[in-house]
Amino acid sequence: MEAAWATSAAIITTVIVAVIWAWRVLNWSWLKPKRLEKLLKEQGLQGNPYRLLVGDLMDIVKVQKEARSKPMNLSDDIVPRVYSYVQQNINKHGKNSVIWFGPIPRVTLTDPELIKDVFNKIYDFAKPNANPLIKLLATGLASHEGEKWRKHRRIINPAFNLEKLKIMLPIFFKSCNDLIRKWEGMLSPDGSCEMDVWPFLQNLASEVISRTAFGSSYEEGRRIFELQKEQAELVTKVAMNAHIPGWRFLPTTSHRRMKQIHRDVIASLRGMINKREKALKAGESAKNDLLGILLESNHKEIEEQRNNKNVEMNLEDVIEECKLFYFAGKETTSVLLVWAMVLLSRYPDWQARARDEVLQVFGSNKPDFDGLSHLKIVTMILYEVLRLYPPILALSRTVHKDMKLGNLTLPAGVQVSLPIVLVHHDCELWGDDAKEFNPERFSEGVLKATNGRVSFFPFGRGPRLCIGQNFSFLEAKMALSLILQHFSFELSPAYAHAPATVATLQPQYGAHIILRKVEI
C-alpha cells in the first residue's frame, strides 16, 4: 500500500513538474512575446508578426548572407551591406520599429534625445545578458551591471588615466616603428609595394595591446590574442545558425574548438596572473603594464576597504578583464586604422593635408604626446572614419521594468537597439552629405558637428562611455602619424570594397593598398 502511494506521489510530482515546465516554455516562447507584441503595437511600434521561437532571425541570417556574397560599389554608403535587414525594417515599418530576436522584441531607436536618455539611465536600461557565444570572447566591465560594474570601473580607471597613457606611449612607438621598418623592407627598388595592409594592422594592434597589457610577458599574451582572434571568427560563423533552437548545444567541430580555445585562454591567463600575484605578495613593485596596474589598483581597493570582503576582483574577474583588454584594445584600433587608410587612399587631398600637418608638427622626429594632442586635421579625419565606419554597428539595452521613454511606454522584457551606424549615416542629422567622407564637419569639434545632439557615439556615451577610448585614439594617432611620415598610399586595383561584421566592422576581403616611400 505504501509503495503504491509512493508511486502515485511520484507520478503526481512528475506531472506537476512537467506541467510547470510546459507552462514556462509556452509562456516564454509564445504567450509573453504575443503580449509584448500587442503592447508595442498600441505604442505605434510596428514590425513583422512574431513567429514561434525564431522571430526574424532566419530572415536576418538570409539577408546577411546575401549582402556578404559579393563586394559593394566603392562608396561610403555602407548601411545597405552591413545593416541591411534593420534598414529594410525601418523603411517598411518606420524609424522606431521592432525586430524579433527569437522571442525577444528589440525596438530600434534613432531619435538622439531618446538615445541620450537610454545612455544616461544606466540602471533603467541595462546591458542584456551576454550571449553564451559572446561570453567565450570577453565579458568583463562591458557586461557588468550595478555594484559589480561600479566596483570594476573604479578599480580599472587608474590603468587608463592620462599619466599612465603617457608612460605607454614609447610602447606604441616601438610597435608602430617596427611596422614601418617591416614595410620599408618590402619596398621594391622603385620605392613602392602592393600589399594587403589589414593583417599587418591587426598584428600591430595585437602587438601593442600584448606589450601594454602584459609587459615582458607579451609573447605569451600574443599567443592568447591569436586564440581570441580565432575565437571571434568561430563565434561569427556559429552565430549564423543561432536561429536553430538548440544548435549551440550540439557537439560540432566548431563548438568543440571554441570550448578548447576558451579553456586554453583561461589557463594561460590564470598562470600569468598567479605569477604576478605572488610577486606582489613577495614585495615586488607593480609593473607599469595594464595587468600590473589593474592588480595594484585591486590591492589598494582591498587595503582601503578591509571590512568589505566583496570589494576586490577575484581571479575570474581579472581574467575576464584581461580578455576584454584584448578585445577592446586590439579590435577597435585595428579597424579604425584600416578604414582610415582605405579612406585616405581614396581621398588623396585629405591624405596630403594630414601629412603636411604631421610633418609640420614632428618633421622627421618621433611623435610625442604633446604633438599628438595638437593634431587637428588627423583628429578630424579619425572622427570622420569612426562616423562612417564605426567599429561596433549597434548597442542594445534591456528593459527590466515598464519604462517611460519620451512618448513611448516600453514594457518589461523588451530590448532597445541604439543603431550607431544608422544614426551616423542619417541625412536628417548630418546633412545631405551624411554618406560622404568630409572630415571638415569636425573642424570645430564633435559638439559643434552634432549640434549638441547624441548623433555621434562610436564608443558609447554617458556613464558607460568606453573606458579605453583614449588609449585607442592615441595609438591610432601614433600609427597614422608614422605611416604618413614615411609613405603615401592609394588603393590597389585588387581592392574589393566589402565592409563586414566579424565581431567588429572589418574589410571582408582585406585592404589591398599600394605604398610609396615618402622622402622627407
Side-chain angles (χ1 to χ4, degrees):
M1 190 70 172
E2 289 181 3
W5 275 108
T7 301
S8 298
I11 292 171
I12 292 169
T13 301
T14 302
V15 169
I16 291 172
V17 170
V19 169
I20 291 172
W21 274 103
W23 168 255
R24 287 178 178 175
V25 170
L26 178 64
N27 186 55
W28 169 78
S29 64
W30 184 255
L31 298 179
K32 182 179 177 181
K34 293 303 289 183
R35 179 178 63 82
L36 292 176
E37 182 177 43
K38 180 175 180 290
L39 291 172
L40 292 172
K41 280 186 177 180
E42 289 171 356
Q43 300 290 315
L45 298 168
Q46 300 294 322
N48 293 327
Y50 170 66
R51 284 172 285 180
L52 183 65
L53 292 176
V54 297
D56 292 322
L57 283 174
M58 293 180 71
D59 291 341
I60 292 170
V61 170
K62 179 182 176 183
V63 170
Q64 283 180 339
K65 284 183 176 178
E66 185 178 340
R68 288 170 64 103
S69 65
K70 58 184 181 298
M72 62 178 284
N73 294 330
L74 196 56
S75 160
D76 299 317
D77 184 12
I78 65 170
V79 173
R81 187 176 205 274
V82 302
Y83 217 51
S84 49
Y85 189 82
V86 178
Q87 185 186 50
Q88 291 173 19
N89 200 62
I90 283 176
N91 290 341
K92 182 178 179 182
H93 299 293
K95 279 200 166 184
N96 290 345
S97 55
V98 179
I99 290 176
W100 289 94
F101 281 76
I104 299 173
R106 187 174 290 177
V107 178
T108 302
L109 301 177
T110 57
D111 183 334
E113 284 302 311
L114 300 184
I115 292 170
K116 179 182 176 181
D117 278 353
V118 171
F119 276 134
N120 287 335
K121 296 175 180 177
I122 60 172
Y123 302 113
D124 294 326
F125 296 94
K127 290 284 190 81
N129 292 329
N131 184 302
L133 293 175
I134 300 301
K135 285 183 178 180
L136 291 175
L137 285 174
T139 52
L141 186 66
S143 301
H144 297 324
E145 291 294 332
E147 183 56 35
K148 189 168 187 177
W149 171 78
R150 284 195 297 273
K151 176 180 72 176
H152 281 225
R153 182 92 181 194
R154 186 171 59 247
I155 293 171
I156 295 168
N157 259 330
F160 293 96
N161 69 34
L162 201 60
E163 294 308 311
K164 296 298 184 184
L165 290 180
K166 286 181 180 179
I167 292 170
M168 293 174 188
L169 200 63
I171 298 174
F172 292 176
F173 174 76
K174 174 173 173 38
S175 297
C176 295
N177 196 51
D178 287 348
L179 174 65
I180 298 299
R181 299 284 84 83
K182 189 179 294 182
W183 282 357
E184 287 180 330
M186 297 170 66
L187 296 174
S188 60
D190 69 354
S192 69
C193 178
E194 182 176 337
M195 70 173 78
D196 178 5
V197 299
W198 173 228
F200 289 98
L201 296 174
Q202 286 179 297
N203 289 337
L204 165 65
S206 179
E207 179 88 2
V208 168
I209 198 65
S210 297
R211 289 182 181 276
T212 53
F214 302 117
S216 59
S217 305
Y218 81 94
E219 285 291 353
E220 190 173 355
R222 186 159 58 184
R223 175 185 164 274
I224 292 169
F225 297 156
E226 285 169 359
L227 288 172
Q228 285 290 88
K229 177 185 175 184
E230 183 184 351
Q231 191 79 296
E233 292 167 352
L234 287 169
V235 164
T236 302
K237 176 184 173 184
V238 170
M240 290 295 186
N241 294 311
H243 62 283
I244 303 174
W247 177 262
R248 66 185 177 89
F249 298 108
L250 297 179
T252 65
T253 302
S254 294
H255 290 159
R256 288 197 299 271
R257 178 58 182 156
M258 288 163 70
K259 289 178 181 177
Q260 184 60 52
I261 290 173
H262 182 65
R263 287 192 293 267
D264 289 349
V265 168
I266 294 296
S268 294
L269 285 170
R270 183 176 282 117
M272 294 171 70
I273 292 164
N274 281 333
K275 285 180 194 173
R276 293 291 187 91
E277 290 279 12
K278 287 178 182 177
L280 282 173
K281 288 176 181 176
E284 290 185 25
S285 59
K287 294 181 172 60
N288 268 321
D289 53 35
L290 289 171
L291 178 57
I293 296 165
L294 178 61
L295 292 175
E296 181 185 36
S297 180
N298 194 28
H299 278 276
K300 283 183 179 177
E301 193 77 13
I302 295 169
E303 289 296 316
E304 289 172 3
Q305 302 191 44
R306 285 179 178 274
N307 296 327
N308 186 353
K309 292 183 178 180
N310 295 320
V311 74
E312 81 277 6
M313 292 195 291
N314 60 35
L315 180 62
E316 299 305 315
D317 290 336
V318 176
I319 286 172
E320 287 304 320
E321 296 304 343
C322 287
K323 288 168 67 179
L324 191 60
F325 282 161
Y326 159 75
F327 202 72
K330 185 251 183 186
E331 292 289 323
T332 304
T333 310
S334 60
V335 297
L336 172 55
L337 283 170
V338 76
W339 294 120
M341 288 197 72
V342 167
L343 284 163
L344 291 180
S345 294
R346 292 171 50 206
Y347 296 91
D349 53 332
W350 278 103
Q351 184 184 150
R353 287 180 65 180
R355 182 176 296 103
D356 288 346
E357 179 182 56
V358 168
L359 294 178
Q360 183 179 356
V361 174
F362 302 118
S364 59
N365 298 323
K366 178 169 75 173
D368 57 33
F369 187 85
D370 288 339
L372 291 172
S373 302
H374 289 91
L375 291 176
K376 181 180 177 182
I377 292 172
V378 169
T379 299
M380 288 159 51
I381 288 168
L382 290 174
Y383 281 151
E384 183 70 343
V385 174
L386 287 168
R387 187 185 72 82
L388 289 170
Y389 295 82
I392 303 296
L393 299 184
L395 299 169
S396 58
R397 297 289 187 266
T398 295
V399 179
H400 290 300
K401 61 182 181 180
D402 292 357
M403 281 298 304
K404 187 77 175 171
L405 185 67
N407 293 323
L408 301 174
T409 300
L410 300 175
V414 168
Q415 291 184 358
V416 294
S417 175
L418 314 177
I420 300 171
V421 70
L422 278 181
V423 176
H424 283 194
H425 284 245
D426 192 333
C427 291
E428 291 182 14
L429 298 172
W430 292 94
D432 294 339
D433 66 346
K435 296 171 174 54
E436 299 169 14
F437 180 70
N438 178 20
E440 201 67 54
R441 73 178 84 245
F442 289 105
S443 61
E444 297 181 60
V446 172
L447 191 64
K448 184 80 171 180
T450 59
N451 292 318
R453 298 173 296 198
V454 181
S455 53
F456 180 72
F457 48 100
F459 295 102
R461 191 71 175 249
R464 297 198 69 139
L465 179 71
C466 175
I467 199 170
Q469 69 163 346
N470 291 333
F471 179 103
S472 180
F473 217 64
L474 187 62
E475 181 190 343
K477 281 185 178 181
M478 172 66 81
L480 194 55
S481 294
L482 284 168
I483 291 168
L484 289 165
Q485 275 183 325
H486 293 84
F487 304 102
S488 64
F489 42 96
E490 63 188 68
L491 290 184
S492 159
Y495 175 75
H497 195 48
T501 302
V502 183
T504 50
L505 186 63
Q506 304 178 9
Q508 185 176 341
Y509 305 113
H512 296 269
I513 282 174
I514 298 171
L515 296 177
R516 289 190 172 84
K517 181 66 178 170
V518 169
E519 298 299 334
I520 301 176

